[in-house]
Amino acid sequence: MPTLTQEKAAEIVKNFGANEKDTGNPRVQIALLTHRIVEITGHLKVHKMDKHSRRGLTTMVAQRRRLLNYLTRTDIQGYRALIKQLDLRR
């Protein structure tokens, strides 16, 4: 199962954060979760009976939803830009 490499994570943090150490920013957390969700979704298309990965996926989707709700409350323009940039539909 593919994982999030350090190089890919650093690239995502650089693209969505204020600097390369800005991992606590909700925009960065949402982008990292989105990358992991896409990877696990691809894994589950091949391995349909993998219940443990499916549970982890639902947990990540719920966490991303909570972060998106927080971003909506605090920075609506940033939320809209992030949705467009990550190509998330709502």
Side-chain angles (χ1 to χ4, degrees):
M1 189 159 105
T3 59
L4 184 63
T5 62
Q6 280 186 329
E7 294 81 19
K8 184 63 179 173
E11 178 186 332
I12 291 172
V13 170
K14 184 178 157 192
N15 289 341
F16 291 95
N19 57 37
E20 59 273 353
K21 302 282 185 187
D22 191 17
T23 58
N25 190 332
R27 294 173 47 86
V28 173
Q29 292 181 31
I30 291 167
L32 288 170
L33 281 170
T34 300
H35 185 269
R36 290 183 64 203
I37 287 169
V38 168
E39 285 184 344
I40 292 178
T41 302
H43 169 79
L44 287 174
K45 286 181 181 176
V46 176
H47 305 281
K48 296 184 187 318
M49 299 302 287
D50 189 353
K51 303 298 182 192
H52 294 91
S53 293
R54 189 171 306 279
R55 182 170 190 271
L57 175 67
T58 57
T59 303
M60 282 185 258
V61 169
Q63 178 66 31
R64 184 177 69 178
R65 175 80 267 147
R66 286 192 300 269
L67 286 167
L68 285 168
N69 287 341
Y70 169 77
L71 198 59
T72 303
R73 289 192 313 268
T74 57
D75 181 20
I76 191 69
Q77 277 76 27
Y79 166 79
R80 289 181 181 144
L82 183 66
I83 292 294
K84 187 176 288 189
Q85 194 172 7
L86 290 175
D87 197 29
L88 296 177
R89 288 176 272 134
R90 233 172 84 75

